[in-house]
Amino acid sequence: MALVRFALLYTIISVYILDTFLTKDMGMDAVFPPVIQSGDPGLPTGHLLPLGYQRQPDGPVKEYAQPLTPTEFWERHARDYVPLVYRQAITKAPAFTNWQSDEYIAETYGDLDVLIEKKVEDRVNPVRLRMLLSEFLDNYHEKDWYVVSLLPDPMRAEMQVPRSLLCGNFRTSILESNLWLSSGGTRSVLHYDADHNIHCLVSGRKDFIMIPNKYADQLDLADNKKAGSGFSHMNMDQVDLLHNPQVSEVPWTWATLLPGDCIFIPSKYFHQVRSYGRSVAATIMWDPFDKFNDSDCTTADIDKYTALSEVPLQWTYKKGDRVIDMGYMNVETMRNHFLTVMEEENVSKFTPEILSIMYEMNMLDVQKGRQGH
């Protein structure tokens, strides 16, 4: 009976701490990384608390005061899948000023469609809606809504591309750009994405927990073998260490983004994200590659301001498009798959039969998986 009373008391205390932690999601004053306090010796530290309370972080993600050159970015980070943070990297972008105002966004872009999902991410039972951006802005402070959508083409003109991506394979491998907009209090699952991405914050605050992919076996992953992305089944608000005790042994690093900051999240790198206050962000996604072709970097003016509308993207959305989904594969990869199968089948013309073979070989996934922040 005493053990039951103790367990009940511990649960009540955990819920109180959790409620205090989550209430601050709407403000900007949350303590991060969290202060780790020893609990009862009978239960593991951080049991039933949010991810991050189970052990101290190894330190912050490597930071730079300005973006690296493309060659430096490749050699120090992208080649070996090492995350980084750029401070104040997009402050010259018109979006940095203009997108602070809902009125400006509604007046300028309100007639464009965006995709909406819940503020607390649920990949098992996802809910996604399509609506006008103006309708979202009229309701999102009262509704449990979060824009997670392709960045509409007209908005790309106001977004800046960090100079690290302005030559070589980086500039030519960009797949898509995404828009993230909420009133705060969003919480992602712990997940990884198929693509590299640079996530830039325009408004609000975001906290990132970063975990290398080599610890995947300790993170209670969902079975998602056909997609390039993956996620953990664990409840990020109440990590059950009796069910997943190995989480206490997983090292992590952290980053806090403020307006103007960007973070590089490598492909396959686990991350969990919380937002605070009205939050607006944009990401640039690109396919990983094995070698960096810098042949045009000696002549490219990487220090010239470059808008996102000035670089090629494979997947975009403009008003009137029927589909605005995210996470499609690289069209060049798809093309190479087609050519390989055609060569193996000794045919010179693409036919429906070749497409059927592609599906049978499970080489053509329509989508690589959701990207989430």
Side-chain angles (χ1 to χ4, degrees), residues 49 51-52 54 121 124 188-191 211 215-216 218-222 231-241 243-248 250 270 272:
L49 291 179
L51 185 68
Q54 293 70 44
E121 186 180 18
V124 177
S188 77
V189 297
L190 180 66
H191 66 285
I211 300 175
Y215 297 102
Q218 298 171 249
L219 298 174
D220 192 12
L221 295 190
F231 66 95
S232 171
H233 281 302
M234 291 187 296
N235 183 340
M236 293 297 99
D237 295 333
Q238 293 179 291
V239 177
D240 187 343
L241 291 179
H243 182 67
N244 293 296
Q246 69 281 0
V247 175
S248 297
V250 176
F270 285 98
Q272 195 258 334

Side-chain angles (χ1 to χ4, degrees), residues 157-188:
E158 296 203 51
M159 194 62 199
Q160 181 178 357
V161 181
R163 69 173 188 160
S164 301
L165 303 182
L166 290 180
C167 74
N169 310 44
F170 294 123
R171 187 178 181 118
T172 59
S173 298
I174 298 175
L175 300 179
E176 65 184 61
S177 180
N178 301 326
L179 173 67
W180 312 82
L181 199 163
S182 78
S183 61
T186 65
R187 300 189 294 281
S188 77

Side-chain angles (χ1 to χ4, degrees), residues 10 17 21 31-39 43-47 49-58 209 241 247-248 250 252 254:
Y10 186 86
I17 294 174
F21 181 88
V31 176
F32 186 77
V35 177
I36 308 299
Q37 297 181 348
S38 299
L43 290 169
T45 298
H47 178 57
L49 291 179
L51 185 68
Y53 280 82
Q54 293 70 44
R55 60 170 287 162
Q56 294 284 356
D58 284 4
I209 288 177
L241 291 179
V247 175
S248 297
V250 176
W252 60 283
W254 64 276

